[in-house]
Amino acid sequence: MGVLGITHYSPAAFAELMRVMATGRVAQIQVPYNVLDRAVETEVLPAAAERGLGVIVMQPLGVGALARRSPPPDALRPLRASEFHTWAQALLKWLLSDRRVHCAIPATSSVEHMRENALAGDPPWLDEDARRWSSGWRRGDDRPT
Ligand SMILES: NC(=O)c1ccc[n+]([C@@H]2O[C@H](COP(=O)([O-])OP(=O)(O)OC[C@H]3O[C@@H](n4cnc5c(N)ncnc54)[C@H](OP(=O)(O)O)[C@@H]3O)[C@@H](O)[C@H]2O)c1
């Protein structure tokens, strides 16, 4: 069965994206979302959830900028129970723990990274408190705020 979707990378086009979503002609959207770029949280994700649309997240690692440097291990200690092992997995798990998100598509040229990233697709997920706490993540050398 085919699924018709719509995508745009720029918040400048989100109003138009929302207009198409409202027609009922698409079943899925693909939008940018990560701890640094949260523009979709305001209107797009709530509208997608309300309409039951599938959500694919592009640029989940901030086009690589977020994944490049990892915070010190003790900065992530409060989340260890959530069973991720690397910084990239933590960033992906943060996204996939949002119930409005169905799929994240990190790009990689590395088989190792592909394996590492795929493991973030398994539960357990972050609960709301952990997700709120970790939303302070910005760069690998920052601590959550
Ligand atoms: N529909 C649209 O308008 C649109 C626009 C932009 C992008 N996209 C799609 O979205 C997807 C992802 O976008 P993106 O490539 O821009 O951003 P991204 O997935 O956020 O970042 C990719 C970068 O992250 C690095 N990376 C991946 N896994 C890593 C890991 N485990 N540890 C450290 N670094 C890691 C990759 O480097 P390595 O190669 O070294 O792993 C690559 O430089 C692609 O499929 C793209 O086609 C769609």
Side-chain angles (χ1 to χ4, degrees):
M1 188 183 75
V3 174
L4 190 62
I6 185 170
T7 182
H8 209 288
Y9 59 88
S10 169
F14 286 172
E16 192 178 353
L17 187 92
M18 301 258 300
R19 276 197 293 279
V20 176
M21 289 162 65
T23 64
R25 295 180 63 200
V26 295
Q28 205 168 70
I29 60 171
Q30 185 188 139
V31 287
Y33 188 28
N34 57 63
V35 289
L36 265 187
D37 179 357
R38 303 177 62 177
V40 293
E41 286 182 341
T42 319
E43 290 184 307
V44 174
L45 287 182
E50 192 180 321
R51 296 186 167 277
L53 304 186
V55 173
I56 299 172
V57 168
M58 69 165 94
Q59 303 175 348
L61 301 174
V63 198
L66 282 166
R68 226 160 272 144
R69 282 174 300 178
S70 176
D74 66 316
L76 297 175
R77 194 162 294 136
L79 296 179
R80 281 291 173 222
S82 299
E83 289 183 20
F84 55 77
H85 303 287
T86 71
W87 173 232
Q89 287 173 346
L91 292 165
L92 293 170
K93 195 150 272 221
W94 181 85
L95 280 171
L96 294 170
S97 298
D98 185 323
R99 289 175 171 273
R100 301 166 298 187
V101 168
H102 300 95
C103 177
I105 52 168
T108 182
S109 55
S110 147
V111 173
E112 292 254 310
H113 284 170
M114 182 192 69
R115 290 204 180 99
E116 173 188 338
N117 296 345
L119 290 173
D122 288 330
W125 307 115
L126 304 183
D127 63 23
E128 278 308 310
D129 283 345
R131 210 171 172 266
R132 209 171 303 116
W133 178 83
S134 55
S135 67
W137 292 338
R138 286 187 178 80
R139 292 274 189 271
D141 50 359
D142 282 351
R143 283 164 188 272
T145 51

